[in-house]
Amino acid sequence: HFTDRQHATNFLQHINGLTEDLQYTIEYPSSDGSIPFLDVLIHPDRTTSIYRKPTHTNLYTHYSSSSPQSTKDSLISSLTRRAYTLCTPCHLPEELLFIKQTLLSNGYPLNRIRLIMERTKTSLHKTKNKRKSTATPTSKTNLPYHAAYSKKMKTALQRYDITTTSSSPPNLMTVLNTNKTRGPKHSTCN
């Protein structure tokens, strides 16, 4: 336990002077007494909320992008799940509002945000031991993502107990890297 900042700073200088291979830093509480730890902001009253670095831009995949719908829904779900998991109840409404505003500014429709947030909340509140009533699909396949056809293919294949996942189409770097000529296996550089 440190008595003041100078005491903590002296200790930091001492441990950093022990070896050059490992250097420590120190984080002081902000003026309101809160301190960040990973994704969590710990408040003086021991409540928690989400911590974002000052450089965080709130930019995510825009809703109009050609990403699969499942990717966009996963963004909403993961931000919502993180809020329910890390925030204490007194900070949760503020965080959920912040998520909605951020997603709206990234082009997400409000009705989609509400739907996925509600689904996520419902799934989090289900009992852990409750088993799903749906049968486990017998087959799985990965198909290249196509904005017009991926959802239709997924629906059609579900009728035959086939689960599908979508992969992104190749980008220019992928295409160029796969067409490189390779040298002999055991060549060495001079």
Side-chain angles (χ1 to χ4, degrees), residues 83-161:
Y84 277 100
T85 305
L86 300 180
C87 292
T88 49
C90 63
H91 294 286
L92 186 60
E94 179 184 354
E95 179 60 24
L96 294 174
L97 179 61
F98 182 83
I99 292 168
K100 282 179 190 172
Q101 292 170 339
T102 300
L103 291 168
L104 286 169
S105 70
N106 282 275
Y108 286 71
L110 183 58
N111 61 343
R112 191 70 188 171
I113 297 168
R114 286 180 178 156
L115 175 69
I116 302 302
M117 287 179 99
E118 188 58 38
R119 281 184 189 167
T120 304
K121 177 183 175 184
T122 302
S123 75
L124 288 169
H125 287 89
K126 286 183 181 178
T127 57
K128 291 180 182 179
N129 296 331
K130 187 174 181 182
R131 295 180 185 252
K132 292 184 180 178
S133 60
T134 57
T136 304
T138 56
S139 300
K140 296 180 181 181
T141 188
N142 187 337
L143 302 172
Y145 175 74
H146 187 278
Y149 301 114
S150 288
K151 189 173 182 179
K152 292 176 185 176
M153 286 297 295
K154 181 177 184 172
T155 304
L157 291 171
Q158 279 177 339
R159 290 184 218 139
Y160 301 99
D161 289 332

Side-chain angles (χ1 to χ4, degrees), residues 10-25:
N10 291 344
F11 179 74
L12 177 68
Q13 290 171 347
H14 170 72
I15 61 172
N16 281 338
L18 297 175
T19 178
E20 292 180 11
D21 297 332
L22 185 61
Q23 294 294 297
Y24 295 92
T25 60

Side-chain angles (χ1 to χ4, degrees), residues 50-112:
I50 301 297
Y51 173 71
R52 291 175 185 83
K53 290 183 177 182
T55 55
H56 184 70
T57 61
N58 294 322
L59 292 178
Y60 295 100
T61 302
H62 198 275
Y63 194 79
S64 65
S65 73
S66 185
S67 297
Q69 185 64 44
S70 61
T71 301
K72 298 169 190 175
D73 290 350
S74 291
L75 172 63
I76 301 169
S77 181
S78 65
L79 292 173
T80 304
R81 184 177 309 278
R82 181 173 74 156
Y84 277 100
T85 305
L86 300 180
C87 292
T88 49
C90 63
H91 294 286
L92 186 60
E94 179 184 354
E95 179 60 24
L96 294 174
L97 179 61
F98 182 83
I99 292 168
K100 282 179 190 172
Q101 292 170 339
T102 300
L103 291 168
L104 286 169
S105 70
N106 282 275
Y108 286 71
L110 183 58
N111 61 343
R112 191 70 188 171

